[in-house]
Amino acid sequence: MGVRTPKQFCSVLERPLISYTLQALQRVSWIQDIVVAVTRENMEAMRNIIQRFGHKRISLAEAGVTRHRSIFNGLKALAEDQPDCKLPKPEVVIIHDAVRPFVEEEILLRVVTAAKEHGAAGAIRPLVSTVISPSADGCLDHSLDRAKHRASEMPQAFLFDVIYEAYQQCSDYDLEFGTECLQLALKYSHTKAKLVEGPSELWKVTYKQDLYAAESMIKEKISQEICVVVNTKEEGSVGHLLKEVLKNELNCINITSTALDHTGGDIQNFLIDPCYSFICVNVVSSGLQETQKFLRKLEESCLSPLYPVVVVLVHCLDFTLVPLTQKMENLMWIRELAKEVKTKNVLLNGLLINYSQDEQKLQENLRQGASIIAALVKERSSALAGQLLVA
């Protein structure tokens, strides 16, 4: 990757890449234990990541100097014949890369089910480039028929006894230079792996530019849910009108709304399902205290350590009745509060929408406001936190 930091610890949206991978595995309730093979010098850093981001069911094993030696050490942490083993031996073990954070439960279940039946299974993907073999003088010797070959990916799954026996029997050469676990199961345990076609999201973060691709994918994923928070249940209120405009402008995003009292007491009801974008319309009509109550409840939900949370405070007023400069001066506290909550991974902005009495003009202003909201939600730029924007 060309960076000093081991790539699994590279930061994406202020969070190490491996934390996203652990979260993907943790979401799967039937995975009993997760063992991370980590080098001795990074052991403390890994413990800090587990604690900071609230990861559960995690055990650490000391990594070896090669991929296969690291995997073998991880398997030993689950093996009954090892004196330091503290975890129950599983029926099936999944082997996965720390830098493949987008693994979903569906492919995990498919490889595990196949492993239970065949003894071993692995995800594969079509080759995107033709594989060629060069001769000793650097010229083309031959090429492979791309249609007949596949790229081996992760996750892979094995009956535990199959893969552990393979590692116990394999040679030092295999441990030093080998890369393919499925081949070890075939060579030493005589188990032919079932190959399972995997989704495109299984790609591995390998090069520096992959970090930007990963960040883009994560932003896209967490921007799919927007919660519009209003302080009235009246269907004709500005908050509900804005919600309908957002639905039309962002037709691929799931937009929900909830009514909220001024005490902030109802917030927990809609923080149950993870959402990282909140559009608060007139919730803070009287000012700072109501906003602080909302943000405290948000902080208690423990959402922000995982992903940056966008909060847009929307005020609607008729600019012909209330001068814009006067209203902006009254909302300058948003900037100071934004600096405070930014340290907690909450990106706070203010948005003023001209509540025109002209229906056509109002709809145009709401559409402009929706475009601004969409940009804030999708970009999640900390540089824009604290800005007072006008539609």
Side-chain angles (χ1 to χ4, degrees):
M1 182 168 283
V3 295
R4 293 183 178 181
T5 304
K7 57 186 174 182
Q8 63 268 29
F9 295 125
C10 285
S11 181
V12 177
L13 291 179
E14 307 299 324
R15 185 174 160 200
L17 191 62
I18 192 172
S19 177
Y20 293 98
T21 308
L22 292 178
Q23 184 188 20
L25 297 174
Q26 273 182 229
R27 285 198 298 259
V28 182
S29 60
W30 44 264
I31 292 181
Q32 184 174 355
D33 295 294
I34 301 169
V35 178
V36 182
V38 58
T39 58
R40 184 179 300 177
E41 58 267 29
N42 289 315
M43 196 71 74
E44 190 59 32
M46 191 67 235
R47 292 193 182 98
N48 291 337
I49 290 170
I50 292 169
Q51 181 178 11
R52 178 182 174 188
F53 297 103
H55 294 299
K56 306 296 183 185
R57 312 197 307 271
I58 311 293
S59 299
L60 302 183
E62 186 173 333
V65 295
T66 66
R67 174 185 179 83
H68 274 326
R69 293 188 189 279
S70 294
I71 294 173
F72 194 10
N73 287 352
L75 293 172
K76 289 177 182 177
L78 298 164
E80 294 174 333
D81 61 356
Q82 296 296 315
D84 296 331
C85 178
K86 299 178 181 178
L87 300 173
K89 188 185 84 168
E91 179 186 3
V92 175
V93 63
I94 299 168
I95 297 176
H96 192 62
D97 288 325
V99 290
R100 296 181 192 260
F102 303 112
V103 61
E104 296 288 347
E105 181 173 4
E106 193 254 346
I107 185 62
L108 289 166
L109 183 59
R110 287 170 62 199
V111 295
V112 165
T113 302
K116 289 185 73 172
E117 180 179 352
H118 299 274
I124 57 170
R125 290 285 301 157
L127 290 171
V128 295
S129 300
T130 300
V131 178
I132 62 174
S133 178
S135 60
D137 60 358
C139 297
L140 176 66
D141 183 73
H142 65 277
S143 65
L144 299 180
D145 184 350
R146 190 168 64 182
K148 294 182 179 179
H149 296 82
R150 293 291 183 270
S152 178
E153 308 284 357
M154 291 290 177
Q156 295 177 351
F158 305 84
L159 291 177
F160 182 82
D161 291 338
V162 166
I163 192 63
Y164 187 52
E165 177 186 344
Y167 271 97
Q168 286 178 308
Q169 294 185 42
C170 71
S171 66
D172 284 338
Y173 184 88
D174 291 318
L175 291 174
E176 200 66 30
F177 301 105
T179 59
E180 181 52 73
C181 304
L182 300 178
Q183 180 62 31
L184 291 185
L186 177 62
K187 183 177 180 180
Y188 294 104
S189 297
H190 310 294
T191 300
K192 294 179 66 175
K194 178 68 174 179
L195 303 180
V196 178
E197 195 78 24
S200 59
E201 292 81 8
L202 291 181
W203 60 275
K204 180 180 180 181
V205 174
T206 304
Y207 303 104
K208 194 171 183 178
Q209 61 264 33
D210 293 337
L211 290 173
Y212 301 108
E215 179 176 317
S216 179
M217 289 180 67
I218 292 168
K219 282 182 177 179
E220 181 70 22
K221 180 179 179 181
I222 61 178
S223 298
Q224 293 303 303
E225 298 282 341
I226 294 178
C227 184
V228 178
V229 184
V230 296
N231 62 347
T232 176
K233 295 183 179 179
E234 296 179 9
E235 289 299 321
S237 68
V238 175
H240 289 286
L241 289 175
L242 180 59
K243 174 191 170 185
E244 294 307 312
V245 174
L246 282 168
K247 280 184 177 179
N248 293 331
E249 292 292 310
L250 307 171
N251 53 19
C252 63
I253 291 180
N254 181 28
I255 300 174
T256 60
S257 66
T258 184
L260 184 69
D261 62 36
H262 287 295
T263 67
D266 292 340
I267 294 177
Q268 294 298 346
N269 294 336
F270 64 84
L271 290 179
I272 297 174
D273 296 324
C275 179
Y276 299 94
S277 305
F278 297 92
I279 316 305
C280 304
V281 184
N282 285 337
V283 169
V284 291
S285 54
S286 61
L288 176 62
Q289 290 185 343
E290 286 74 14
T291 305
Q292 289 175 322
K293 288 177 183 177
F294 178 87
L295 293 173
R296 277 198 299 270
K297 291 289 186 179
L298 199 58
E299 186 179 349
E300 291 169 4
S301 71
C302 297
L303 290 173
S304 59
L306 295 177
Y307 301 101
V309 175
V310 171
V311 178
V312 183
L313 306 177
V314 179
H315 290 260
C316 301
L317 65 153
D318 189 335
F319 291 175
T320 62
L321 301 177
V322 181
L324 177 59
T325 54
Q326 176 185 332
K327 187 62 179 179
M328 293 189 74
E329 287 177 2
N330 293 337
L331 291 174
M332 290 303 290
W333 53 265
I334 291 177
R335 293 190 173 185
E336 292 303 315
L337 185 56
K339 292 179 183 178
E340 177 186 334
V341 298
K342 186 177 176 180
T343 63
K344 302 171 185 176
N345 214 20
V346 176
L347 308 179
L348 179 67
N349 293 92
L351 174 62
L352 294 173
I353 296 180
N354 185 6
Y355 189 71
S356 175
Q357 299 302 314
D358 183 303
E359 181 66 27
Q360 184 175 352
K361 182 65 175 176
L362 175 59
Q363 287 296 318
E364 180 182 341
N365 295 339
L366 289 174
R367 282 194 293 271
Q368 290 178 353
S371 297
I372 293 172
I373 289 169
L376 293 171
V377 167
K378 290 182 178 180
E379 290 303 317
R380 297 184 183 268
S381 172
S382 59
L384 293 176
Q387 295 297 311
L388 292 173
L389 307 168
V390 179

